Amino acid sequence: MKKPSRLGPKAPNPKSKFNNNKKKLNNIDKKKNKNDSSDKVGAKKPKPQAEPISPSQQLNFFLDQFQSANNLQLSSLESDSLTEACVLDLSQGLDQEVSTLGKQVKAAFGPSWKEVLCEGQLMEGKIDPGNPAVLIISASALRSLEFLRGLRPLTRECPAAKLFSKHMKVDDQVSILKNRVNIASGTPSRIKKLIDVEALGLSRLSIIVLDMHTDVKGYSLFTLPQVREEFWDLYKNYFHQRLLQGDTQICLFGRIPIGTDGKKKQNKQVSEQ
């Protein structure tokens, strides 16, 4: 026998209320999990900020490398002459990527950057052919080309000189250096050869950019055996005296290993000072 139906409003079912609340909680959990997964997979993690390295630290690192590679000790007179003014203090807030080198160089020359870096005409008695204002030295031809691609906005009117041996003949480079050159990029061996034959001049040289990039095997300009020897040979013969006289600054561009008090060396970027 059927129970008589109850008149009036239907009494609430406690189970259905519980189920509704459970569904709401499940939906909230799904949204939360979705957000969490997007954070882990889709979102780009910010790059860790490198500790700034002062010009004096950079200079000490450079001189340590110089003395170690050449098995020598600088005299007190030379040490006193080589101050942190020898190191280009890079602009703050710019990462040291190839694409930002142009901004760094422009900042270094100040208001005269366009005249120094972009003009293409020779000026008798002031700007001689084959005398760059900026010289970039890398361990390989590929890295040299990467720098030149990053500097394209500055080299439209006055093409940069490619000073490496890969697919490049010395005679062709000598011909190029008979014109005005504001920016040049190359490897130590070929740069030295072109200076030796008096095709590449140094009278305007204000900044030497030293590429601190390490390759897939962990080698760099200062550690790749043959290139390292060629670089220090070039430096001793043609650049060291210019640094002592204050005619030229060096720029350690990229990440360099700084180690102190026997602690494990860490890669720190030479930027944001």
Side-chain angles (χ1 to χ4, degrees):
M1 184 177 177
K2 289 184 180 180
K3 291 182 179 180
S5 58
R6 183 175 178 177
L7 298 176
K10 190 177 180 181
N13 187 343
K15 288 186 178 180
S16 64
K17 187 175 181 181
F18 173 77
N19 289 335
N20 288 336
N21 290 337
K22 189 173 181 182
K23 285 180 182 179
K24 288 179 182 179
L25 289 172
N26 287 338
N27 290 334
I28 292 172
D29 289 339
K30 284 180 182 178
K31 288 180 181 179
K32 187 177 179 181
N33 291 335
K34 189 177 180 181
N35 291 336
D36 290 344
S37 62
S38 64
D39 289 342
K40 291 178 183 177
V41 180
K44 291 184 179 179
K45 295 181 179 179
K47 292 182 180 179
Q49 292 294 323
E51 292 182 38
I53 299 178
S54 68
S56 61
Q57 286 178 297
Q58 295 175 50
L59 179 63
N60 289 337
F61 168 78
F62 179 78
L63 295 180
D64 286 345
Q65 293 291 316
F66 174 51
Q67 294 176 114
S68 173
N70 295 281
N71 195 25
L72 56 80
Q73 182 71 38
L74 290 173
S75 68
S76 57
L77 183 62
E78 286 179 308
S79 297
D80 292 341
S81 300
L82 292 169
T83 67
E84 61 184 56
C86 298
V87 178
L88 180 64
D89 193 5
L90 297 175
S91 301
Q92 296 183 10
L94 285 176
D95 291 330
Q96 287 202 33
E97 304 291 341
V98 170
S99 58
T100 67
L101 179 60
K103 293 178 182 178
Q104 300 277 19
V105 170
K106 283 166 62 176
F109 284 99
S112 63
W113 69 267
K114 194 168 186 179
E115 179 186 345
V116 175
L117 300 172
C118 301
E119 295 293 332
Q121 299 298 318
L122 292 169
M123 299 176 68
E124 190 174 349
K126 188 176 179 182
I127 297 178
D128 296 324
N131 281 265
V134 177
L135 179 62
I136 304 161
I137 306 177
S138 299
S140 70
L142 288 175
R143 279 294 293 176
S144 297
L145 288 172
E146 283 184 39
F147 276 104
L148 293 182
R149 280 194 288 270
L151 292 168
R152 251 178 212 154
L154 300 177
T155 59
R156 290 187 181 121
E157 293 182 31
C158 184
K162 302 172 185 175
L163 309 181
F164 44 80
S165 58
K166 193 171 185 178
H167 306 308
M168 300 288 291
K169 295 180 179 179
V170 172
D171 291 342
D172 294 338
Q173 290 168 327
V174 170
S175 298
I176 291 169
L177 292 170
K178 288 179 180 178
N179 302 303
R180 174 167 173 167
V181 175
N182 298 325
I183 298 171
S185 179
T187 52
S189 178
R190 182 53 61 91
I191 289 171
K192 185 176 183 297
K193 187 173 186 64
L194 290 167
I195 298 175
D196 288 342
V197 299
E198 300 182 352
L200 178 64
L202 305 176
S203 63
R204 290 179 66 214
L205 187 59
S206 296
I207 299 172
I208 302 170
V209 178
L210 303 179
D211 180 17
M212 294 290 98
H213 171 78
T214 55
D215 62 20
V216 291
K217 294 182 179 179
Y219 288 115
S220 69
L221 181 66
F222 288 171
T223 59
L224 189 60
Q226 183 178 346
V227 173
R228 177 191 185 189
E229 293 171 10
E230 291 167 350
F231 169 73
W232 290 118
D233 185 37
L234 168 65
Y235 174 79
K236 285 187 296 183
N237 282 281
Y238 294 111
F239 301 148
H240 186 63
Q241 197 62 33
R242 293 187 65 84
L243 258 68
L244 288 172
Q245 295 170 351
D247 297 327
T248 300
Q249 290 181 299
I250 57 170
C251 169
L252 304 181
F253 197 83
R255 305 178 77 88
I256 67 172
I258 295 290
T260 57
D261 301 326
K263 293 180 182 178
K264 186 178 180 181
K265 291 185 179 181
Q266 296 178 338
N267 281 338
K268 297 181 181 179
Q269 192 173 12
V270 191
S271 66
E272 301 180 5
Q273 297 165 18

